[in-house]
Amino acid sequence: MEKITLDAGFDSFDEQWAPRLAATPNDHEVKLARIEGAFVWHSHPDSDELFLVHEGTVTVELRGHDDVTLSAGELFVVPAGVEHRPVADEEAKILLFEAEDTRNTGDTGGERTQTGTPTLAVGAEGGGASDTE
């Protein structure tokens, strides 16, 4: 049992659209991600996806529904099967809560598909984080 400091976790990597695994409660994963620009349209047919904004502003565009704009401290759940794409005009730091082994590009695939999610390793003092494979 180790704690993770979110700021240290985000400071441990610079890559955008490349989530890092922070925790695995039961059969779900909590991932930290830096994002900027627009991601690909995709859906997760069998799983909801929760977006929680830590820093910045993110718009979750939803096919056939009104877009949802989130600021720091706000969250939104995209229901299973709803086609969506997150968009950030400037870099934002987000947490993703999703079923274990959820593919980042859902049923779309493509060049942005992440194979394997690097894990944040908590430092010896419990407050820092570093990248590990």
Side-chain angles (χ1 to χ4, degrees), residues 36-126:
E36 185 173 5
F39 199 55
V40 297
W41 281 100
H42 66 285
S43 68
H44 306 283
D46 301 316
S47 180
D48 296 343
E49 183 175 25
L50 184 148
F51 290 83
L52 171 62
V53 177
H54 177 67
E55 186 177 300
T57 301
V58 175
T59 298
V60 180
E61 295 181 347
L62 302 163
R63 188 90 71 199
H65 303 275
D66 291 338
D67 297 344
V68 176
T69 300
L70 305 169
S71 298
E74 296 180 322
L75 65 83
F76 176 71
V77 176
V78 177
V82 173
E83 193 174 15
H84 62 283
R85 74 173 182 170
V87 178
D89 292 334
E90 296 180 9
E91 186 177 72
K93 297 174 184 174
I94 64 172
L95 286 84
L96 302 165
F97 295 77
E98 52 198 13
E100 197 169 33
D101 298 324
T102 296
R103 188 165 70 169
N104 66 325
T105 54
D107 58 359
T108 299
E111 65 184 42
R112 282 195 154 167
T113 299
Q114 187 175 15
T115 55
T117 303
T119 302
L120 290 175
V122 179
E125 291 80 42

